Amino acid sequence: MKEAWDRYALSHGTIYHTTAFRQLLIDSFGYQCRYHAVIDERGSIQALIPLVAGRNLGLRRIGVSLPFINYMDLCAASDEALQAAADSLKRLREQDKLAYVELRLKDDRLPDASGWKSHLHNHTFVLPLYEDEEQVLALSTGSNRNHVRKTYKNGWFTSSFDPGHLPEFYKVYVRRMKQLGSPAPKLSFFERFFELLPDNAFLLTIHDPSAGQVVGGMLLITSPGNATLYYPYGANLVEYNNKYLNNYMYWEAVRFGIRSGLKSLDLGRSQTGSGTYKYKEQWGAKPEQLTYLIYDGAGSSSLSGPPDKESLRFFIELWKKAPSFITDSAGNYLIKYLMP
């Protein structure tokens, strides 16, 4: 059903719904694919069930739709098809002996969510893109507009879309993830985006021309079906914060999205009230609630779901302090168990 699945995914969902991203996860982390489709009596797809199975930090076998993605609606043609997909997930959990299954929804709302526990701690931010750049910049706060213009006036940075800069970006990314207390996937994970999504993966790198080095960057993913530009991975050197590197980098992503004819830029997931939540708000992007649903078959009172940031605080602080030669190699191994 690969061709039919991808046609439906691109017309009803996002680039992440396609089988290419499924292959990327399997190749990179060894997850088991448990993708299913809800079909009608004519064999036509009515809903998608993107699901992969793997082990979490507690080594329990779980199913997630979809790790490494902020949200993954089931793209159902009707409420009946959506409910059928949710009911199928309950059966798949039992059939595959999974401790629980997790859905990460943005627009979907289950008609009957009995037995599912919801987590409402995250939002994504969507910034509209207009043909006139100034119209987009006008959505920002006054200070954000000033910071963006200052970076260009002073010529502090230049940008590139040469994928050959991936190794340099990766060094910046690993360094920044360690500072945040998080492991990073292998370089090959990022390389697979360009191999499996050659028409949709782009690397934006930001350079300091005076130092001759990459100081920040973003992996950008275009999703033509819903005319959205996604920013799943990015990082910068914090010593450039006083030169508003982040503001320049985000604005370069905005300009790329406009040139690509896309209608919105998804700025990604942030916990409610966090620093990144407030930063994205100042761009004029609107927060949209993400609904994460957990089902373990034993009733909502028994559900704790995946660990949150606070419960992992000790390990986050430990990761920040551990030597890089340990975290760089261990992170490649541990990241698949986080199923972030």
Side-chain angles (χ1 to χ4, degrees):
M1 294 183 66
K2 180 181 183 298
E3 291 184 6
W5 178 291
D6 282 342
R7 278 197 305 272
Y8 194 90
L10 290 171
S11 60
H12 292 78
T14 71
I15 193 70
Y16 295 121
H17 284 83
T18 64
T19 56
F21 193 75
R22 155 201 176 276
Q23 193 63 47
L24 189 150
L25 291 177
I26 293 170
D27 292 348
S28 300
F29 305 109
Y31 297 139
Q32 181 188 9
C33 173
R34 302 302 295 137
Y35 277 36
H36 288 73
V38 175
I39 60 174
D40 61 18
E41 63 277 5
R42 296 167 298 175
S44 299
I45 294 177
Q46 297 298 303
L48 302 179
I49 308 176
L51 183 73
V52 300
R55 296 194 182 275
N56 64 7
L57 284 174
L59 298 183
R60 294 194 300 169
R61 188 169 147 78
I62 64 172
V64 181
S65 179
L66 205 60
F68 294 87
I69 295 299
N70 296 328
Y71 56 85
M72 178 63 57
D73 287 325
L74 301 179
C75 298
S78 65
D79 283 348
E80 291 78 11
L82 178 59
Q83 193 62 51
D87 293 341
S88 295
L89 279 164
K90 291 181 178 181
R91 292 193 295 273
L92 283 171
R93 186 207 65 81
E94 184 175 1
Q95 174 186 315
D96 290 356
K97 297 180 172 57
L98 303 175
Y100 63 81
V101 290
E102 177 184 359
L103 286 176
R104 300 176 176 181
L105 306 178
K106 177 174 171 280
D107 298 322
D108 284 350
R109 296 291 181 270
L110 298 187
D112 178 9
S114 58
W116 296 84
K117 181 179 181 180
S118 62
H119 294 264
L120 303 174
H121 308 310
N122 296 298
H123 288 77
T124 194
F125 283 79
V126 179
L127 180 68
L129 300 179
Y130 307 114
E131 291 185 13
D132 181 2
E133 291 183 4
E134 287 300 315
Q135 191 178 356
V136 181
L137 192 57
L139 299 173
S140 295
T141 61
S143 62
N144 192 55
R145 293 196 299 272
N146 290 336
H147 293 161
V148 168
R149 288 173 176 143
K150 192 172 184 178
T151 62
Y152 288 91
K153 181 180 178 181
N154 289 283
W156 285 330
F157 308 110
T158 60
S159 62
S160 170
F161 284 90
D162 181 357
H165 292 300
L166 183 60
E168 297 165 88
F169 161 74
Y170 182 71
K171 290 179 182 178
V172 173
Y173 181 79
V174 171
R175 178 177 170 182
R176 185 61 185 139
M177 289 303 100
K178 177 169 169 49
Q179 291 170 345
L180 295 171
S182 174
K186 294 179 181 179
L187 174 61
S188 58
F189 171 67
F190 294 97
E191 291 172 338
R192 291 297 276 159
F193 277 93
F194 300 96
E195 294 167 6
L196 292 170
L197 296 167
D199 299 325
N200 303 98
F202 300 87
L203 179 67
L204 164 64
T205 49
I206 310 302
H207 302 245
D208 175 356
S210 61
Q213 65 174 350
V214 170
V215 296
M218 289 176 166
L219 176 66
L220 298 172
I221 307 296
T222 59
S223 182
N226 61 341
T228 299
L229 179 64
Y230 291 94
Y231 151 48
Y233 299 99
N236 65 284
L237 298 180
V238 295
E239 51 264 40
Y240 285 86
N241 284 355
N242 63 337
K243 290 186 174 181
Y244 314 117
L245 171 56
N246 258 342
N247 303 69
Y248 179 89
M249 187 163 63
Y250 271 71
W251 186 242
E252 284 293 294
V254 167
R255 297 176 70 190
F256 173 78
I258 293 173
R259 291 196 303 270
S260 301
L262 301 173
K263 301 302 181 185
S264 61
L265 168 61
D266 191 304
L267 297 176
R269 176 177 63 192
S270 290
Q271 286 197 347
T272 307
S274 65
T276 57
Y277 183 103
K278 295 172 183 176
Y279 177 79
K280 292 168 184 176
E281 270 191 319
Q282 74 177 14
W283 281 93
K286 300 301 181 186
E288 297 190 19
Q289 179 70 59
L290 300 181
T291 302
Y292 287 11
L293 297 175
I294 308 290
Y295 178 80
D296 74 348
S300 59
S301 61
S302 69
L303 293 166
S304 59
D308 59 24
K309 199 169 184 179
E310 284 308 309
S311 65
L312 294 173
R313 178 60 57 190
F314 171 79
F315 300 100
I316 291 173
E317 295 304 318
L318 182 64
W319 195 267
K320 292 178 183 179
K321 294 178 173 60
S324 294
F325 74 87
I326 293 177
T327 57
D328 287 354
S329 56
N332 297 163
Y333 175 75
L334 288 174
I335 187 70
K336 69 177 182 180
Y337 298 105
L338 291 178
M339 301 189 94

